[in-house]
Amino acid sequence: MSGKATIIEVGDHDVRVSNPDRIYFPELGATKLDLVEYYLAVSDGIVRALRERPCMLHRFPDGLAGEKVHQKRVPNGAPPWLETVRVKFPRYNRHADELCVTKPADVIWAVQMSTVEFHPWNSRRADTERPDEWRIDLDPMPDCPFGTVQRVAPVVREVLGELGMTGHPKTSGGKGLHVYVRITPQWGFSEVRRAALAFAREVERRAPADVTTTWWRKDRDPTSLFIDYNQNARDHTIASAYSVRGVPTATVSTPVTWDEIGDLDPRDFTIRTVPARFAALGDLHATIDDHAYSLDTLLEWADRDEKAGLVTPEEKSPDH
C-alpha cells in the first residue's frame, strides 16, 4: 500500500506528495515520505549545492526496484513557481528547459516526481557555458579500497594549498570522494577540463603507486584510483552535495572536513544519519561561495604537459 497523498508545506508553497508510503529503499524500509523529510532536514545545504544550476534528475517512479529515468526536461504541468534554465545541445540541434533550484520547494517538487538523485551542472544560469565550479572526482577502480582514497586525499589538499586554493570535500555516496573548488566563471568547459587534467597529473606524480590518469578504462590498474577530470566536460554531471544515491542503503553524498577523511566510512552517511549530522554541524560547504579562484596556473601546467607530449588526443578532446 502506498497510502493517500499528503500535502507538505515548504516555505510559501504547498507540495502534494502522492504515494508517501511507497518503499523506496528496501534495506532501510525507507519510504518516499522519508526521502521528503530527509531533503527538508538538509534543505539549506541541498539548495546551496543546486542553486541556479541546470539540474538533471535521476528518477525512480517505482522505487529502486523499478527503472531509473534520467530526466533533463521539466515536464508540462509543473507549478508556475518552479524555475527552469534553458541549455542547448548544438550537436543535436536541441535544447532542454532543466530544473533550476532556487528554494526548498523546488527540491520537494522534484522528490514528488520520484527524484532520488540531483545531478547539477558545474555552471549557473547567468552563463551556462562558463563553469564556476571545478570538480575533482576521486573515482576508485573496481578493486581499489577506500583506504587508497584516504591516502590520496591529503595529496589533493596539499596541491590545492600550493595553488592557494580551498577545496570542499564530500563523499560521493559510493566508494569515492569529490572535492569542489569555486572558480571565476571566465573559462569554457574545455579549458576547465584541461586545468582539471593538469591537476590530476600533478597528484599522480606525487602518488604514482595509487593514482592513475590513464584515459582508457581497460588500460587502468583495477586497484588504482582514477582522477576523473572528464567530469568537468560540458553536460557531465555528478551527484550534488546532500544528494541521496539510488542504492538500497540510501547513502548520501555528504560534505566532510579534510581532517575526518582518514577515519570515516562513507557507508555511515545515509538518510537516517545525515540529518542529525547536519543539525549538529551545519552545512560544511556553507563557505564554498566565499572565494573564487583563477585557473591561470593550472592552465600553464596544461600548456607545459601538452608541449611535452604528455597528453593524448583522447585526453585533449572535450568530447570524450
Side-chain angles (χ1 to χ4, degrees), residues 110-308:
V111 177
Q112 151 55 19
M113 297 297 293
S114 67
T115 298
V116 173
E117 298 189 18
F118 292 85
H119 286 240
W121 284 41
N122 61 339
S123 59
R124 301 200 200 226
R125 176 163 55 181
D127 188 346
T128 59
E129 297 307 310
R130 295 189 180 276
D132 74 329
E133 187 168 81
W134 159 36
R135 296 169 175 176
I136 304 165
D137 180 10
L138 306 186
D139 184 15
M141 294 299 290
D143 298 328
C144 176
F146 190 70
T148 302
V149 179
Q150 293 169 310
R151 280 198 304 274
V152 172
V155 182
V156 170
R157 188 184 189 186
E158 175 184 81
V159 178
L160 286 173
E162 292 173 10
L163 289 164
M165 297 178 174
T166 298
H168 293 77
K170 67 183 183 71
T171 64
S172 68
K175 292 171 54 183
L177 191 77
H178 302 152
V179 182
Y180 285 3
V181 181
R182 284 290 184 267
I183 57 175
T184 54
Q186 62 185 96
W187 298 277
F189 291 98
S190 296
E191 292 301 278
V192 175
R193 183 180 178 278
R194 287 181 67 234
L197 172 57
F199 179 87
R201 283 282 165 81
E202 181 60 27
V203 175
E204 183 181 28
R205 291 184 189 102
R206 301 187 189 196
D210 289 329
V211 172
T212 183
T213 59
T214 299
W215 174 251
W216 296 110
R217 186 179 182 89
K218 64 181 177 60
D219 295 332
R220 297 178 205 147
D221 181 340
T223 66
S224 65
L225 179 65
F226 178 53
I227 301 184
D228 190 356
Y229 52 88
N230 209 46
Q231 295 294 3
N232 294 279
R234 190 181 191 276
D235 197 29
H236 282 229
T237 62
I238 53 181
S240 75
Y242 300 105
S243 176
V244 180
R245 304 309 306 268
V247 296
T249 52
T251 52
V252 172
S253 183
T254 306
V256 295
T257 67
W258 286 105
D259 291 340
E260 68 182 315
I261 290 172
D263 296 318
L264 65 80
D265 183 336
R267 295 171 295 185
D268 291 339
F269 301 121
T270 73
I271 63 170
R272 298 292 197 210
T273 61
V274 171
R277 174 183 170 89
F278 189 89
L281 301 178
D283 181 9
L284 294 181
H285 284 188
T287 60
I288 194 169
D289 291 312
D290 287 359
H291 300 285
Y293 300 98
S294 170
L295 293 179
D296 286 345
T297 299
L298 284 170
L299 291 171
E300 290 172 3
W301 293 2
D303 289 339
R304 174 200 65 196
D305 290 348
E306 290 168 9
K307 288 176 181 177

